[in-house]
Amino acid sequence: MKRLTILLLFAVMATMVSAQSQQELIQMYRNGTLTQEQINALRGQHQASGDNVKRTRTVNIEAASTGNNLQEEKADLTHMVADPQAGYREELGSNIANVEATSTTRRIFGHDLFRSSRLTFEPNLKIATPNNYVLGPGDEVIIDIWGDAQVALSQTISSEGRISINGVGPVFLSGLTIEEASARLRRSLATIYEGLNDDTVKMKLSLGSIRSIQVNLTGEVGSAGTYTLPSLATLFHALHIAGGVNNLGTMRAIQVYRGGKLLSEIDVYDYILNGKTERDIALREGDLITVPAYSKLVEISGQVKRPMFYEMKDGETIADLIKFAGEFTNEANREVINVTRRQGGEFTSFTIDSANFDSFVLEDGDVLTVSGSIDRYENRVQIKGAVYRDGYYAIDDKVKTVKQLIERADGLREDAFMARAMLYREKPDWTMEVQSVDLAALMSGAAADIELRPNDMLVISSVTQMQEEYNVTIFGAVKSPDTYPYAEGMTVEDLVVSANGLLESASTANVTVTRRMKDPKSLQVSDQLFEIFTIDLKDGLVVGGDKEFVLQPFDQVYVRRSPVYVTQSTVAVRGEVAFEGNYPLTHRNMRLSEVIQAAGGVTPGAYLEGAYLLRRMTDEEMMQARALNQMVLDQARRSQRDETMTLEGISLQNVYPVGIRLDEAMNNPGSDADIVLRDDDVIFIPQYNGTTRVMGAVLYPNTITYKDGKNVKYYVKNAGGFDNTARKKRSFVIHMNGTVESGMRAEVLPGSIIIVPSKPYKDRSFDWGDIAQTISSTASTAAVIIAALNMAK
């Protein structure tokens, strides 16, 4: 840290020395006491100090981050030697970034000109050589001679300003324009090419590669210093390379010195606003460009096309500033401009009329505000509603009254409400008032016409707007039951057609229409809520009787399902029957034994005690199951007694088991065991399963051979007995037919599953997912698990 501080102090000192050298250079150049050799020497010192500061800063930053800067410093030095402008370009990028960061506080007109990456003013080096180009040391000249003689010469002007031609000797060209140098060469070469005198030999002088020149930029620029530029470079290109003018610099009085004397003072606004390209003067070796601080900076805001800061010269007025700002916008108040001026420690306000725009001289720091127009119209009125062309209209020779305004809007529509229109108008204090207009009387001439005022608004309502939106509704056995727009004279037949016709299941003998009770003058409440009409339909559409039933607004039509219309229902029989497959329910309340008989009865290997039935849930049952499942989940979350009884992760199925006793149903047809079937029921009759499975909190869960008359304890003993976590009294048995028994005395049948729950807060010895999979392979899904868990609590 100490080393870094010392190096930073060294960098600051070097920068101060550099700045002092630069100021000495400028002052001596202006006084005319500095030779070109002294300029080059001081410039070299300035560049060296600047490079050392930059290199020191770069190397120490790298050292602070990596601790090893030898390779970076070597690469940096190599890069600086190979490309002397590299350091300058990096500094330029940093300076431009700094200038752009400070310029966000205020935007000054013209300052973006030299900061844009798209407008560099870089000279075109591929154009034809201009005749006014001044030659100097380093320029390559090409001399083409043709005619009686064919010669092509290429020479570079030496540091003494000469070229050497065989047979002619040295020719001094430095300081001459292309045109002057061409004349001198013609005279010199005429001594060996006589055809140049009688024009039998032609000669042309052009440039090959051009030299570089060094110019100095000082003052309020992004990066002051000495720059090496192409000899075709101009003032604007040099300003762009230096990062443009900073926020303190002037755009109106940029000075160019040549040979110690002021050559020109350039106003860049002339170039920007008037296109005077001569302001962009060509530079020469040793030129000094200085950008002084601005003299006056004013701000204009509001309704002008370019609201921002502008630099003003002495004597320039508001009228000049408005031209700079692109003139007024179309919303501007062109008559008055407000000026705020700070004089000493106080502000002074001026209100300047348009007549004085040319005479009011602006001062530094003035702030001008151009206000907008008032949001009012001198002669505009509006018409809205039931006319053919509503909108805004001018009060003129054709429109002066309400009736004329309606006629100008192409008249009233047929649905116009003639009893009353509303004329909204402003009072002298700008508050609103409304005046009713009898349109029928006005248009017939029975009432006097009304003269319009500015900003009047005439609103003409339509009849449909004055009434509630009417509709009718149809429910039941139609293809598209919905609410439909009402139309006068609409019948039930029309509404049925709108609903895309009746369904096949529709009853045409009992169609009901309900109608609202309407009595606007009633003062008592009636017990009857609405009127009811019962009608018949013929052929699905035509209303029976002599007259069609005409609907009224908000009628509701109910088309019911025919009581004899029933869709086909089937049940499926699987497993140990003679003929597996689907069987129709041929009559109401068809029972289990009837379907088994239709399937040819059971096979000899059928295990009737293990038969089970799966039933698809109706929408109502599904809703009840969801409610029950949510209740069980809530109870399990709140219970601190047994956290193993939660149902998280178990999803409801759309089918559920029905516990049946197929043996009793077959032996006693029509009994309670012989249950009534319904559509989509699935009956499964398995083969005999002579094993019993033990799961849960036992030492060795496994499958055990069934023995008649043995209870739960017997099978648990054959599974190694209970483990330490077992809840013995909560054990339960799931039978193949989907029924469940609990307790140690529960009956065990072939194919049964014995489940022994664990105590709370202990390691679980079985997987609920495994139980669910096993149960679903026999008889049950989620509903069996719910029943089993409830019994285990």
Side-chain angles (χ1 to χ4, degrees), residues 147-176:
D148 292 344
Q150 299 288 333
V151 179
L153 302 175
S154 176
Q155 291 281 331
T156 300
I157 299 176
S158 66
S159 57
E160 290 81 14
R162 299 178 175 85
I163 63 171
S164 180
I165 302 175
N166 291 333
V168 176
V171 181
F172 188 84
L173 297 180
S174 180
L176 301 180

Side-chain angles (χ1 to χ4, degrees), residues 729-733 740-743 786-793:
K729 295 182 179 181
R730 298 296 178 89
S731 300
F732 56 93
V733 180
V740 180
E741 295 185 61
S742 63
I786 294 172
L789 294 177
N790 285 335
M791 295 182 68
K793 290 186 178 179

Side-chain angles (χ1 to χ4, degrees), residues 570-640:
T570 60
V571 295
V573 182
R574 303 285 185 267
E576 297 301 314
V577 291
F579 301 100
E580 285 188 301
N582 296 334
Y583 291 88
L585 297 176
T586 57
H587 59 86
R588 296 182 186 276
N589 299 327
M590 190 170 179
R591 294 181 180 270
L592 180 61
S593 60
E594 296 179 84
V595 173
I596 298 300
Q597 290 177 0
V602 298
T603 65
Y607 179 50
L608 299 184
E609 290 82 357
Y612 63 87
L613 184 147
L614 294 180
R615 177 163 289 174
R616 187 177 302 278
M617 284 188 179
T618 64
D619 292 341
E620 294 77 9
E621 290 173 334
M622 196 69 183
M623 182 174 60
Q624 293 174 358
R626 289 194 187 97
L628 176 61
N629 187 44
Q630 187 61 45
M631 181 184 68
V632 173
L633 289 174
D634 293 341
Q635 291 177 351
R637 291 191 186 99
R638 291 194 296 267
S639 175
Q640 301 297 325

Side-chain angles (χ1 to χ4, degrees), residues 60-241:
N60 280 285
I61 290 175
E62 293 292 333
S65 60
T66 63
N68 184 3
N69 57 36
L70 294 178
Q71 295 298 326
E72 289 81 352
E73 182 177 8
K74 180 179 179 182
D76 189 28
L77 289 172
T78 304
H79 178 59
M80 295 288 287
V81 171
D83 186 0
Q85 293 294 327
Y88 141 71
R89 280 195 294 267
E90 293 176 7
E91 284 293 320
L92 172 61
S94 175
N95 287 323
I96 291 177
N98 292 333
V99 170
E100 290 179 348
T102 57
S103 67
T104 57
T105 57
R106 59 183 182 183
R107 188 180 174 202
I108 303 174
F109 179 70
H111 280 212
D112 293 340
L113 181 66
F114 303 118
R115 299 173 188 164
S116 171
S117 60
R118 299 181 180 179
L119 190 64
T120 64
F121 299 98
E122 186 174 354
N124 185 0
L125 304 182
K126 296 181 180 180
I127 61 173
T129 306
N131 288 331
N132 61 351
Y133 178 80
V134 178
L135 296 171
D139 280 337
E140 180 188 17
V141 293
I142 299 174
I143 306 168
D144 291 312
I145 301 174
W146 70 95
D148 292 344
Q150 299 288 333
V151 179
L153 302 175
S154 176
Q155 291 281 331
T156 300
I157 299 176
S158 66
S159 57
E160 290 81 14
R162 299 178 175 85
I163 63 171
S164 180
I165 302 175
N166 291 333
V168 176
V171 181
F172 188 84
L173 297 180
S174 180
L176 301 180
T177 65
I178 292 293
E179 187 175 4
E180 294 170 341
S182 181
R184 176 171 294 185
L185 285 170
R186 180 180 290 274
R187 291 193 299 270
S188 299
L189 291 171
T191 59
I192 58 175
Y193 299 104
E194 295 182 358
L196 289 173
N197 295 321
D198 58 10
D199 212 26
T200 58
V201 175
K202 308 290 185 180
M203 187 206 79
K204 181 172 178 59
L205 175 66
S206 60
L207 276 177
S209 60
I210 62 173
R211 71 185 186 280
S212 296
I213 61 173
Q214 289 184 326
V215 296
N216 305 298
L217 284 93
T218 64
E220 305 300 334
V221 292
S223 179
T226 300
Y227 293 90
T228 300
L229 304 174
S231 58
L232 291 175
T234 63
L235 168 65
F236 290 172
H237 178 55
L239 289 172
H240 174 80
I241 292 297

Side-chain angles (χ1 to χ4, degrees), residues 472-484 495-496 498-501 503 557 559:
V472 289
T473 306
I474 186 168
F475 301 95
V478 291
K479 189 173 182 181
S480 303
D482 205 343
T483 298
Y484 294 90
L495 183 56
V496 170
S498 298
N500 296 319
L503 296 179
V557 179
V559 180

Side-chain angles (χ1 to χ4, degrees), residues 397-417:
D397 294 340
K398 296 181 180 179
V399 177
K400 293 183 179 180
T401 65
V402 170
K403 187 175 181 180
Q404 290 174 341
L405 176 60
I406 295 173
E407 292 172 349
R408 189 65 180 272
D410 284 350
L412 298 169
R413 293 203 314 251
E414 288 75 7
D415 64 337
F417 183 67

Side-chain angles (χ1 to χ4, degrees), residues 316-525:
E316 289 184 332
T317 63
I318 292 177
D320 298 317
L321 179 59
I322 292 173
K323 292 179 182 178
F324 294 162
E327 301 294 342
F328 295 108
T329 65
N330 60 337
E331 297 181 358
N333 178 11
R334 302 167 184 260
E335 301 302 320
V336 173
I337 291 181
N338 295 315
V339 180
T340 301
R341 177 174 295 171
R342 183 159 190 162
Q343 296 176 333
E346 297 182 351
F347 290 97
T348 304
S349 293
F350 302 90
T351 300
I352 311 301
D353 296 330
S354 58
N356 297 319
F357 287 174
D358 290 331
S359 59
F360 188 87
V361 178
L362 297 172
E363 299 296 337
D364 185 34
D366 283 355
V367 177
L368 287 74
T369 304
V370 181
S371 59
S373 58
I374 301 173
D375 190 15
R376 287 177 60 82
Y377 294 86
E378 295 180 353
N379 64 337
R380 191 181 75 166
V381 292
Q382 184 182 10
I383 184 170
K384 298 173 62 177
V387 291
Y388 284 102
R389 298 186 185 275
D390 59 355
Y392 293 97
Y393 292 88
I395 300 176
D396 53 22
D397 294 340
K398 296 181 180 179
V399 177
K400 293 183 179 180
T401 65
V402 170
K403 187 175 181 180
Q404 290 174 341
L405 176 60
I406 295 173
E407 292 172 349
R408 189 65 180 272
D410 284 350
L412 298 169
R413 293 203 314 251
E414 288 75 7
D415 64 337
F417 183 67
M418 302 297 292
R420 181 183 292 262
M422 311 303 292
L423 180 62
Y424 295 90
R425 53 186 14 175
E426 292 179 353
K427 295 165 61 176
D429 61 355
W430 286 22
T431 59
M432 297 296 296
E433 65 177 353
V434 63
Q435 180 178 342
S436 62
V437 179
D438 186 345
L439 281 182
L442 178 68
M443 300 307 291
S444 65
D449 205 352
I450 302 172
E451 187 175 352
L452 293 171
R453 299 177 189 170
N455 298 308
D456 278 355
M457 180 174 65
L458 180 64
V459 179
I460 303 173
S461 301
S462 67
V463 174
T464 54
Q465 290 176 329
M466 302 294 293
Q467 65 183 18
E468 189 176 357
E469 184 178 355
Y470 292 159
N471 57 61
V472 289
T473 306
I474 186 168
F475 301 95
V478 291
K479 189 173 182 181
S480 303
D482 205 343
T483 298
Y484 294 90
Y486 170 78
E488 188 175 351
M490 191 175 193
T491 65
V492 173
E493 178 187 18
D494 299 327
L495 183 56
V496 170
V497 172
S498 298
N500 296 319
L502 299 173
L503 296 179
E504 189 180 52
S505 60
S507 171
T508 61
N510 188 16
V511 177
T512 302
V513 180
T514 61
R515 180 168 294 167
R516 296 180 182 180
M517 305 286 291
K518 302 173 185 177
D519 187 1
K521 298 182 179 180
S522 177
L523 299 176
Q524 296 179 351
V525 178

